[in-house]
Structures are given as C-alpha cells and as structure tokens.
Amino acid sequence: MNTAATWNDIPAGHWQGGPLDCASCEHRDLLAQQACEPGRVCMQDAYARRVDRFFACHPGLAVQHLQHGYFEVRAIAARHADVFHLPGLINDPDETVRLQLALRLPQRQLLRLREDPHREVRIRVAQRLAPEQLAPMLRDADYQVRAMVARRLPAALLPLLARDPDAQVRQEAARRLEMPALWELVNDRDPDVRRTVAQRLPGPLLGSFARDADLLVRWEASGRASEDIVGLFLDDPDGEVRERAAQRRLELGRRTEEACNG
C-alpha cells in the first residue's frame, strides 16, 4: 500500500526551491488523469527518485527534457530516451548526465567519451567499449580506468600494463598475462601482484618464491609447486607454509602412485 510513510519520506519540493507548482507545470494535464502525483511521481521535484518514477511512467516525454535546466532531469531523461537523441548530450556540463550516456551510447558514439574529464565516465566507457578500441586508454591518468582496461584489453597489448606505476593495474594484468610476459612480474615490488603471479605461474617455476618476503606469496606457491621444487618450501620459517608444502608433496605422491597403478 502506498502511504506517506512508505514513499513520501522526503518532503516534496521544486528543483529550483520552494513548493511544487502543479498549475504552471507543462504536464499538468497528467495530474487530472492521475498519471502523476506530487510527492511521488513528479518531474518538477528535486528528489531524483520521483523524477525517475515520472519518466518510467512516461518514457515518451523524456526526449523533450534532455535540455532541462536541472541536471537530474537531464540524466534521468537520458536513461529513458531513445539513443538516437543522446549524442547531443556528450558535452553536457554535468558528469551525471554523461555517465548515463556512457552506459547507453552505441560503440561509435561511445568513442567520443574516452577522454571525458570525469573518471567515473571513463571507467564506464572502459567497461563497455570494444576491446580493440581500448588502446588509447592505456595511459589514462586514473589508475582505476587503467585497471578496467587491463581486464578487457586484447591479450597482445596486455604486457604494456605489466610495468604500470599502480599495483592494482599490474595485478589486473597478472590475472590475464600468459608466459613469458607473466614472468616479468615475479619480482614485482607489491606482494599482492606477486601473490597473483604465484596463483598462475607454471608449477616448475614457483621455486622463485621460496624465499619471498611475503608469507602469503610463499603459501600460494607452496600449494602449487611441482614435485621437483616443493621441497624448497618444507623448511620455510612459517609453519603454515611448511604444512601446505607437506600436503602438496603428499598430493603429488598420490598422483604418481595412481598413475603407476593405473
């Protein structure tokens, strides 16, 4: 049941300040038809949720409000309008509006937002843009944009991010890099990056982590080490690493026995 307690939690108010004025609203005919409702479904309201309810009920009216003076109205209208009318908002002064474009524009138009001044817009662009179009964003000034690029960049270009100045970007690269490019991160200065490498490096190469300064890196490596190097972890100064190495050796021994008996 719609009661004031459930939906009118914030007092209704005009986006320019003051009370709502239904008599001067260009959509006042909808009130008579009970197709809008002050305090709940209203495009004049300062509260974005009420504006969103309005355009959800009347998506056909969204296009005519794409140039509205209130950024929330423009942003919400952009969510409901057909995409053919959205390119005209690419230079909108508010990032909330441009963010909606980044979520909806087709690929050709989305290219125009690769260098948007706001990081959140560029992150969304990196999420949606075709992977082969991401190369220009490799050197984006924001590390979170580059991290998103690292998740989706074509594999051939991924080594370019292995030396990124930010550890989060290098870690994302490490999750996808294959040998021999992955080997370049074995001695990375960040333990989280090395831990990711230890989770993916071929077993016979994990001996490089036997004396790693980070406990969790050694723990990851000891659980994946090949038979010829697992012994390197059996004398680790940490008991958990030694225990994991011992379990790994037993596991490898059982596999060998099963193979011989099979």
Side-chain angles (χ1 to χ4, degrees):
M1 180 175 65
N2 287 328
T3 66
T6 60
W7 56 259
N8 197 16
D9 53 336
I10 296 176
H14 196 278
W15 66 273
Q16 290 180 309
L20 296 173
D21 182 8
C22 295
S24 65
C25 178
E26 60 190 294
H27 302 300
R28 56 187 173 274
D29 291 345
L30 295 175
L31 185 62
Q33 303 168 28
Q34 296 185 328
C36 64
E37 184 178 353
R40 183 169 183 269
V41 181
C42 179
M43 64 142 297
Q44 290 194 79
D45 205 297
Y47 189 25
R49 184 172 296 180
R50 293 168 187 151
V51 177
D52 188 51
R53 289 192 190 109
F54 179 88
F55 286 117
C57 293
H58 310 289
L61 298 176
V63 169
Q64 69 188 75
H65 292 290
L66 291 175
Q67 303 300 324
H68 195 274
Y70 184 32
F71 77 94
E72 289 281 22
V73 170
R74 298 197 307 276
I76 295 168
R79 188 184 305 163
H80 293 277
D82 64 77
V83 296
F84 302 105
H85 288 85
L86 298 185
L89 293 173
I90 281 180
N91 294 316
D92 192 279
D94 195 277
E95 67 272 9
T96 308
V97 178
R98 301 195 307 276
L99 182 58
Q100 290 300 321
L101 270 59
L103 295 171
R104 297 196 61 212
L105 281 174
Q107 291 287 312
R108 186 179 63 173
Q109 298 294 340
L110 194 59
L111 288 170
R112 298 170 60 187
L113 290 173
R114 281 189 305 200
E115 298 182 5
D116 190 272
H118 199 277
R119 61 191 291 272
E120 292 296 334
V121 175
R122 300 197 307 278
I123 288 172
R124 298 303 183 276
V125 171
Q127 285 178 324
R128 289 193 58 230
L129 202 59
E132 61 270 20
Q133 300 291 345
L134 288 172
M137 303 185 81
L138 277 166
R139 301 293 177 240
D140 192 278
D142 190 273
Y143 78 95
Q144 289 194 339
V145 175
R146 301 195 307 277
M148 181 57 65
V149 171
R151 296 175 192 172
R152 304 188 60 245
L153 194 68
L157 297 177
L158 201 54
L160 296 174
L161 290 174
R163 298 186 181 279
D164 192 275
D166 188 87
Q168 182 176 325
V169 178
R170 299 195 306 277
Q171 186 175 21
E172 291 292 346
R175 291 189 174 112
R176 296 183 56 216
L177 281 169
E178 300 296 339
M179 291 292 292
L182 182 60
W183 181 257
E184 292 188 23
L185 293 172
V186 166
N187 296 313
D188 192 273
R189 61 186 177 276
D190 189 274
D192 288 336
V193 177
R194 299 197 306 277
R195 196 174 307 140
T196 300
V197 176
Q199 292 169 351
R200 301 192 62 243
L201 204 65
L205 299 179
L206 290 169
S208 300
F209 293 122
R211 297 293 179 264
D212 193 276
D214 187 84
L215 164 63
L216 291 179
V217 173
R218 302 196 308 276
W219 188 86
E220 291 285 358
S222 65
R224 298 186 59 251
S226 60
E227 189 171 5
D228 56 329
I229 65 165
V230 69
L232 296 175
F233 296 92
L234 291 172
D235 62 348
D236 192 273
D238 186 87
E240 291 189 17
V241 176
R242 295 195 303 271
E243 180 180 355
R244 187 164 168 83
Q247 291 174 348
R248 175 62 172 169
R249 186 167 64 171
L250 287 173
E251 175 189 346
L252 292 169
R254 285 195 298 268
R255 290 183 185 178
T256 301
E257 184 178 354
E258 290 170 0
C260 291
N261 294 334

